[in-house]
Amino acid sequence: MITLSDYLILSAIVFCIGLAGIFINRTNIITLLMCVELMLAAVNTNFIAFSHFMGDQAGQIFVFFILTVAAAEVAIGLGILTLVYRNKGSISIDVTNSLKG
Amino acid sequence: MEFEQILFYLFSFWFIASSLAMILSRNTAFSALFLILSFFSAASLWLLLEAEFLAIILILVYVGAVMVLFLFVIKMLDIEDSTLRAKFTGYLPIGLGVAVIVIAEMSLVLGVDQFGLDVVPQPIRHASDYSNITELAMELYTIYVYPFELAAVLLLIAIIAAITLIHRPDKRAKKQSIEEQVNTQAKDRVRLVSIAPYKKKDEQ
């Protein structure tokens, strides 16, 4: 039988893959956003596994709100990304250092 | 091995494999497509967990809207791969090291001793006429009705913010400015120039 532990370890692995992706691709803003989405999917899997095994619907409601916030975040994040590209001509992290003293 | 277990390992394999392919792919468009595959695998796993509504929402909203938006932006912007991937190998060891350590720690914490079947028993499967959407809606529209409305306001704010960020006023657009019209003066419109009289040369 599949235990809750299997789902938790699976989502831990996927979460860490997303984390490693942020380390590896730290120059490309689009890939960073996609890694954050991957980590969110892993966390949502956690929530749904707990919701299923505990018999409580609150976890699924929480995932519903996480999906809403993540959609809003992506819309604004890609808007900012487009602005960065328009003003700097590149989407590398290295060009976004105007706040550096 | 039960059929459910086979499905779980199949979907988990695709979830992990496509996530790895996403972070290791050198082409950003390929990364987005691999992320779509991981979302599909995650949705399949959520179906195994009897979260049918969220599984379908994940595919419709995430794959249908968010990832298409990503692909739009990737194709719209001219991304030069050479400079973006220059540091790719430099951070690979530390990234893998941190990931492996975190996975090892979490496996120790989340192992079968803590969350095995004898601690968290297998829940009873619902009957075939069970509706996940009805259950969610009953809670969403009663207990969580204010967070639900707040989420709607949040989406509205996101729409306004995204449009405000991106929208660039068209310079050629002929737009009426009432303030400018009211504040205008006669000297702004008519310019009186005194010109000295002269005769054409061929008339002389």
Side-chain angles (χ1 to χ4, degrees):
Chain A
M1 294 299 281
I2 303 162
T3 63
L4 175 59
S5 158
D6 291 336
Y7 282 103
L8 295 184
I9 290 177
L10 167 71
S11 64
I13 291 173
V14 175
F15 184 86
C16 291
I17 290 174
L19 192 69
I22 289 181
F23 271 95
I24 292 171
N25 304 305
R26 47 181 284 182
T27 48
N28 190 341
I29 301 180
I30 289 186
T31 320
L32 290 191
L33 270 178
M34 288 197 290
C35 287
V36 171
E37 294 301 315
L38 189 66
M39 290 160 82
L40 278 176
V43 171
N44 287 341
T45 309
N46 247 350
F47 266 113
I48 290 178
F50 269 113
S51 156
H52 176 65
F53 279 88
M54 303 288 176
D56 190 353
Q57 301 288 328
Q60 296 191 23
I61 305 272
F62 214 102
V63 170
F64 181 80
F65 289 124
I66 292 177
L67 288 182
T68 313
V69 174
E73 169 221 318
V74 165
I76 296 179
L78 286 178
I80 293 174
L81 181 72
T82 317
L83 268 190
V84 167
Y85 183 78
R86 192 187 282 165
N87 290 328
K88 303 272 185 180
S90 169
I91 56 159
S92 168
I93 288 276
D94 298 332
V95 302
T96 57
N97 54 2
S98 347
L99 285 180
K100 205 164 160 186
Chain B
M1 192 183 264
E2 284 179 49
F3 184 59
E4 193 190 330
Q5 253 173 321
I6 298 173
L7 283 183
F8 173 77
Y9 287 115
L10 191 71
F11 293 143
S12 311
F13 171 74
W14 279 116
F15 198 11
I16 294 174
S18 57
S19 309
L20 275 177
M22 186 210 105
I23 68 165
L24 295 177
S25 163
R26 293 193 163 256
N27 189 332
T28 318
F30 285 173
S31 294
L33 292 172
F34 278 122
L35 188 57
I36 290 176
L37 180 58
S38 2
F39 279 148
F40 262 99
S41 321
S44 316
L45 284 170
W46 294 6
L47 279 180
L48 278 184
L49 289 169
E50 295 184 324
E52 291 91 2
F53 175 68
L54 288 171
I56 290 172
I57 281 293
L58 186 75
I59 290 179
L60 286 187
V61 173
Y62 259 67
V63 178
V66 172
M67 292 316 294
V68 170
L69 190 64
F70 263 107
L71 283 174
F72 253 126
V73 171
I74 289 168
K75 283 298 163 194
M76 198 170 65
L77 306 183
D78 179 31
I79 303 163
E80 67 283 18
D81 280 342
S82 54
T83 56
L84 287 179
R85 293 298 174 141
K87 293 180 181 171
F88 185 83
T89 47
Y91 292 107
L92 190 60
I94 186 165
L96 284 184
V98 169
V100 167
I101 289 172
V102 174
I103 288 175
E105 286 178 355
M106 289 183 113
S107 306
L108 286 177
V109 175
L110 304 171
V112 188
D113 298 339
Q114 285 80 22
F115 292 101
L117 274 184
D118 42 351
V119 184
V120 185
Q122 187 77 22
I124 302 147
R125 288 267 164 201
H126 294 287
S128 58
D129 58 345
Y130 168 76
S131 171
N132 176 242
I133 298 180
T134 316
E135 286 284 316
L136 275 188
M138 287 297 285
E139 292 211 11
L140 200 58
Y141 292 132
T142 53
I143 307 169
Y144 299 97
V145 64
Y146 288 128
F148 185 70
E149 289 173 357
L150 274 180
V153 175
L154 179 81
L155 283 179
L156 178 70
I157 292 172
I159 294 171
I160 294 172
I163 293 174
T164 321
L165 279 173
I166 292 302
H167 184 251
R168 194 161 36 175
D170 191 359
K171 290 194 182 70
R172 296 167 301 165
K174 295 180 170 54
K175 206 176 157 195
Q176 187 182 21
S177 165
I178 295 176
E179 183 192 286
E180 218 172 292
Q181 286 180 341
V182 169
N183 285 330
T184 192
Q185 305 280 327
K187 62 178 168 42
D188 297 334
R189 293 294 164 88
V190 181
R191 192 162 58 98
L192 295 176
V193 183
S194 59
I195 302 172
Y198 68 97
K199 272 186 180 175
K200 284 183 183 171
K201 280 183 181 172
D202 52 343
E203 284 178 4
Q204 285 177 344

